[in-house]
Amino acid sequence: MVTQSLKDIVSYLAFVSPEAMPGMPFNATQQMAYFSVLFILAPLVMFTGLFQSPAIANHFSTVTRALGGRQVIRSIHFFCLSGYVFFIISHVSMVLLHGWGYETSKMIFGNTDNPMAGGIIFGLLLVLLLLIHIAATKWTLKKGRQVEKLHNRVVRPWSNLLYKLPSRMHYDKTNITKKDVGMANVNPNHRASGRPPATDEYLAIHANCYQDDYVLEIGGYVEKPMTLTIADLRELANGYSHTPLHHCVQGFTSIGKWRGIPVSALLDLVKPLPDATDVVYTSFQSMGRDDPLYKGGLYYESNPMV
């Protein structure tokens, strides 16, 4: 099969269409392409896709480290995507080269006896797929609350299971992401993305080193809403520090040592009510002013209570 597939590729390069294998509707190169997509690319995409989840990557840390880290896994995932793109382009080109009706007849009926019916049925299926995509896009844009409810019923129970996986990634100061500064000094340098907020309120607090002006407001579905100053937070932290692997939504990872108070300790203070489902963090970042790609609003992030 492999030898014949190489011969078929040579035939394609010579602009000669190779014959199908005896008793088969496709030639060796076509069959090898389908085999590779189904039994090599698809499993790799699913496996590496799972490890894009920080919960999976941190829990199965032995596998993550054995494969060279999350960045290597991400790169493999990207190359698999590139393989799919190449397959789609080459596959469509080959279908057109061999004849739309004949090739679609092979896919649907397993033979070339019904080229017109095969072409029509396959074309209608593509149109149906396009219409479903358009309808789904319009629905998600117009009915955001319905999408959210559907997500909470279908997706959230599964994601909550991932959140409960204990992390098995352990780091110390020797693992902290570093950057060479000058010729001799090596200082910790945790990667960052974006720019600091440019609002007047934030700039004033920053100019004063956050000492007197900054407060952390905690409210919502809690028994005891609180407003904490920097001094309050430092007292509550009591020397706590943690060295985790940070997973940025933009794709990079970085290990840093953080000091401060754990969110769980803050939740113990304010006592969330039973109806509380998420912890939402709102920043000073005004997306409309600080990032021209956004129309407005504050930057926020959230975590499920689990």
Side-chain angles (χ1 to χ4, degrees):
M1 176 72 76
V2 176
T3 303
Q4 185 59 48
S5 176
L6 293 175
K7 292 180 180 179
D8 290 347
I9 292 175
V10 173
S11 297
Y12 279 124
L13 294 175
F15 299 99
V16 176
S17 180
E19 296 292 332
M21 296 188 69
M24 300 287 184
F26 301 104
N27 61 50
T29 296
Q30 291 171 317
Q31 294 190 64
M32 286 296 294
Y34 294 139
F35 176 86
S36 299
V37 167
L38 290 174
F39 298 105
I40 297 178
L41 282 184
L44 271 176
V45 164
M46 289 187 286
F47 178 77
T48 55
L50 284 173
F51 277 82
Q52 300 312 299
S53 163
I56 294 290
N58 291 352
H59 182 71
F60 298 100
S61 59
T62 303
V63 178
T64 303
R65 295 179 190 274
L67 293 175
R70 193 162 175 262
Q71 181 57 57
V72 173
I73 298 174
R74 185 186 296 114
S75 299
I76 295 173
H77 194 75
F78 172 77
F79 288 127
C80 289
L81 170 64
S82 302
Y84 269 113
V85 173
F86 175 77
F87 171 79
I88 292 172
I89 295 174
S90 59
H91 184 261
V92 172
S93 301
M94 290 297 102
V95 168
L96 296 176
L97 178 65
H98 284 267
W100 171 265
Y102 288 103
E103 291 301 307
T104 53
S105 178
K106 291 179 186 178
M107 298 176 194
I108 296 173
F109 303 111
N111 56 59
T112 59
D113 299 337
N114 303 284
M116 182 173 291
I120 292 174
I121 293 173
F122 199 86
L124 289 175
L125 290 174
L126 289 179
V127 171
L128 178 62
L129 184 64
L130 178 62
L131 292 176
I132 291 175
H133 175 75
I134 293 174
T137 301
K138 290 185 176 181
W139 175 65
T140 54
L141 292 175
K142 291 182 179 180
K143 304 291 184 179
R145 185 61 66 183
Q146 291 181 8
V147 176
E148 179 186 5
K149 291 181 179 179
L150 181 63
H151 170 273
N152 289 340
R153 290 179 182 177
V154 178
V155 179
R156 173 155 282 198
W158 296 100
S159 61
N160 284 348
L161 290 177
L162 294 180
Y163 283 120
K164 293 179 181 179
L165 289 176
S167 175
R168 294 173 178 168
M169 282 284 188
H170 302 288
Y171 304 97
D172 56 36
K173 62 181 181 180
T174 63
N175 302 125
I176 294 176
T177 303
K178 299 181 185 299
K179 179 180 179 181
D180 291 328
V181 181
M183 296 297 293
N185 298 324
V186 179
N187 296 324
N189 183 72
H190 191 279
R191 289 188 61 177
S193 60
R195 295 168 292 178
T199 57
D200 293 338
E201 182 183 10
Y202 176 81
L203 293 176
I205 293 175
H206 176 70
N208 199 28
C209 297
Y210 308 94
Q211 292 299 323
D212 303 317
D213 306 319
Y214 175 81
V215 292
L216 174 66
E217 298 178 357
I218 309 175
Y221 289 127
V222 296
E223 292 183 14
K224 300 178 179 179
M226 291 187 178
T227 299
L228 301 171
T229 65
I230 285 289
D232 295 331
L233 293 171
R234 286 175 175 162
E235 182 179 354
L236 291 169
N238 193 26
Y240 174 86
S241 66
H242 183 51
T243 306
L245 176 64
H246 169 71
H247 300 274
C248 181
V249 70
Q250 293 187 347
F252 67 81
T253 58
S254 198
I255 300 171
K257 182 176 181 180
W258 298 87
R259 292 176 297 174
I261 179 172
V263 175
S264 57
L266 288 176
L267 295 180
D268 290 340
L269 288 174
V270 299
K271 300 186 182 303
L273 297 173
D275 291 338
T277 60
D278 296 79
V279 180
V280 181
Y281 317 89
T282 303
S283 81
F284 280 102
Q285 191 82 24
S286 176
M287 303 308 291
R289 173 173 176 174
D290 301 330
D291 194 328
L293 296 178
Y294 295 87
K295 296 180 180 179
L298 296 175
Y299 180 83
Y300 70 92
E301 184 57 277
S302 65
N303 293 135
M305 287 299 296
V306 66

